[in-house]
Amino acid sequence: RLRKALQDSGEKKCMPTILTTFMCQTPADIASALQLLALLSTDEHDDALTYLLFLSDADTVYNAVLGLYGLPLALLIAQHSQRGSCKYLVSLDTLNAIRSKKYQHYNIVVKFVNASSLHQSALRIFADDKQRHSDICIEHGDHLADTSDWAQAAAVYLLGNATQKAASAFVQAKEWHMALVLAAAPESGFDSL
């Protein structure tokens, strides 16, 4: 009731209190706070966003705004973030360059999956979509390769039909037999052993 009364008042000075009510919920209702921010004028964004980032971790807010597909608001968060804003800006530039909204949303999901290590769940969700399942497998394989889990990366690459990446990962894992089997396969793309 208090939040509703404060929102209905339309007073700018009530914004920190309204945001606090969203953030004090268990769990914090970051999505609703962000939806409220999206309704504000450009002038009002700065103070409200600074306050929201004071109340919560920048990564948590950034991931929540991506879940809402709010790229303009995500850009504002990246600009206000004290930590690693460059990593946010690079990924946002990539997402903004994508013309199709549907594909843009899919890429946001992939970035969220990577950031949250939800690869297994994403593989189940996209099990019926061959291309997206393959893309998630390759992303997961890249993540495993980054952590030097080469044997697992190779297996996941195989699930995603990324034969060359799988063969390279098997080499890194010193699984020579599998690397040679893949390299000898006609569809591997390797010209010679």
Side-chain angles (χ1 to χ4, degrees), residues 56-186:
S56 183
D57 177 55
D59 288 335
T60 305
V61 175
Y62 181 77
N63 286 335
V65 78
L66 285 181
L68 298 171
Y69 306 117
L71 293 181
L73 197 52
L75 180 60
L76 281 174
I77 291 168
Q79 291 169 341
H80 280 79
S81 173
Q82 298 297 319
R83 298 179 300 148
S85 62
C86 288
K87 77 175 180 180
Y88 298 135
L89 293 174
V90 169
S91 66
L92 286 172
D93 284 343
T94 303
L95 290 171
N96 276 327
I98 299 169
R99 299 275 185 238
S100 162
K101 283 285 186 199
K102 189 174 181 181
Y103 191 65
Q104 195 176 63
H105 291 176
Y106 170 70
N107 275 316
I108 290 171
V109 169
V110 170
K111 289 195 178 302
F112 181 74
V113 164
N114 288 337
S116 306
S117 296
L118 295 171
H119 299 98
Q120 298 297 327
S121 298
L123 288 172
R124 283 191 298 277
I125 291 168
F126 292 112
D128 295 334
D129 186 335
K130 284 181 121 178
Q131 181 59 50
R132 291 194 172 146
H133 188 269
S134 177
D135 292 345
I136 297 290
C137 284
I138 292 168
E139 289 285 335
H140 187 39
D142 291 345
H143 172 73
L144 291 168
D146 288 344
T147 62
S148 299
D149 191 352
W150 298 109
Q152 283 290 347
V156 174
Y157 284 140
L158 283 176
L159 286 174
N161 296 317
T163 310
Q164 287 185 340
K165 284 188 167 206
S168 296
F170 277 128
V171 168
Q172 292 293 324
K174 298 183 179 19
E175 298 279 342
W176 308 113
H177 177 74
M178 287 301 298
L180 289 171
V181 167
L182 287 177

Side-chain angles (χ1 to χ4, degrees), residues 2-39:
L2 174 65
R3 182 186 311 141
K4 179 81 170 117
L6 291 170
Q7 284 177 299
D8 290 343
S9 76
E11 294 285 328
K12 289 182 185 178
K13 65 183 179 183
C14 295
M15 186 54 62
T17 306
I18 296 168
L19 291 174
T20 301
T21 63
F22 285 120
M23 301 309 288
C24 287
Q25 289 179 226
T26 305
D29 191 0
I30 298 172
S32 295
L34 289 168
Q35 289 171 339
L36 178 64
L37 284 179
L39 300 174

